[in-house]
Amino acid sequence: MATQPSGQRKLQILQALAAMLEHPKGEKITTAALARRLDVSEAALYRHFASKAQMFEGLIEFIETSVFGLINQITERQQDGLAQACDILAMLLHFATNNPGMTRVLIGDALVGEDERLQQRMNGFYDRVELALKGALRQAVADAAAGDQERDVALRASLMVAFVVGRWHRYAKSGFTLSPAQDANAQIALLLR
């Protein structure tokens, strides 16, 4: 690890942390365990991150950048509001499948006992996802030339976020064996009726 540029070292640390999160019944996530996994000293970790909380912030930054980048692509590519909502929900479920360690961050499981601001940041993430879904549903209402259904839009967006978070929880609590995307298309269709 000593010959790599700083940015690559940081990425390697975050990747190792994410990999450790994929084993919820494994060893406790500590900087000592992370350093052992990377075969470096704890001091080497602290040269790149001031605290363990900063390491988790790095994972959250990856989640936010990835998810909201994909949401932007969906809304630019797809004009139909219901199709946008469907694609956003499917993307969120597949993101967890592709990033099991990150799922524990998404549901807050990995953040228990860490700095409270990390969970607050994830709460803000949920709010932003809900806002994106509201936008898609508002577009769907406009597409249907329906009347004022703002309350329905807000309720549906909140229900959709709860659906996704529930599927993420189930995935993490199953030891990453029950795919959050299993039967998702049928369930999403029911939510969007």
Side-chain angles (χ1 to χ4, degrees), residues 3 11 19 26 35 49 63 65 96 98 118 137 173 176 187:
T3 61
L11 181 59
F49 295 97
I63 291 167
T65 301
N98 295 333
L118 297 170
L137 293 172
K173 298 304 179 186
F176 307 113
Q187 292 172 345

Side-chain angles (χ1 to χ4, degrees), residues 10-55:
K10 279 181 123 171
L11 181 59
Q12 186 180 24
I13 292 166
L14 293 177
Q15 288 171 334
L17 177 57
M20 289 176 77
L21 290 170
E22 291 180 22
H23 306 285
K25 293 183 173 129
E27 68 182 317
K28 187 173 181 337
I29 308 285
T30 63
T31 54
L34 182 58
R36 267 193 314 278
R37 183 178 188 106
L38 291 165
D39 197 28
V40 299
S41 68
E42 282 186 77
L45 295 177
Y46 288 116
R47 279 195 286 275
H48 302 286
F49 295 97
S51 64
K52 190 165 114 181
Q54 260 192 7
M55 293 176 205

Side-chain angles (χ1 to χ4, degrees), residues 1 3 26 45 65 73 76 88 119 126 135-136 145-146 182:
M1 190 160 132
T3 61
L45 295 177
T65 301
Q73 288 176 23
E76 288 171 10
I88 289 169
Q119 187 58 58
Y126 299 144
Q182 180 183 345

Side-chain angles (χ1 to χ4, degrees), residues 103-182:
T103 303
R104 291 191 56 215
V105 176
L106 286 163
I107 66 171
D109 183 44
L111 306 178
V112 173
E114 300 298 335
D115 192 309
E116 187 180 312
R117 69 184 150 80
L118 297 170
Q119 187 58 58
Q120 290 170 350
R121 187 164 173 185
M122 286 312 305
N123 292 343
F125 170 85
Y126 299 144
D127 292 344
R128 289 176 59 197
V129 168
E130 188 172 328
L131 190 61
L133 287 166
K134 282 180 186 177
L137 293 172
R138 282 188 192 110
Q139 180 63 43
V141 168
D143 292 345
D148 180 31
Q149 298 181 3
E150 183 61 31
R151 178 165 165 68
D152 185 50
V153 164
L155 290 173
R156 281 182 183 262
S158 179
L159 178 63
M160 290 175 185
V161 170
F163 164 75
V164 169
V165 172
R167 296 300 296 224
W168 287 341
H169 267 278
R170 186 174 178 208
Y171 180 51
K173 298 304 179 186
S174 73
F176 307 113
T177 59
L178 293 174
S179 171
Q182 180 183 345

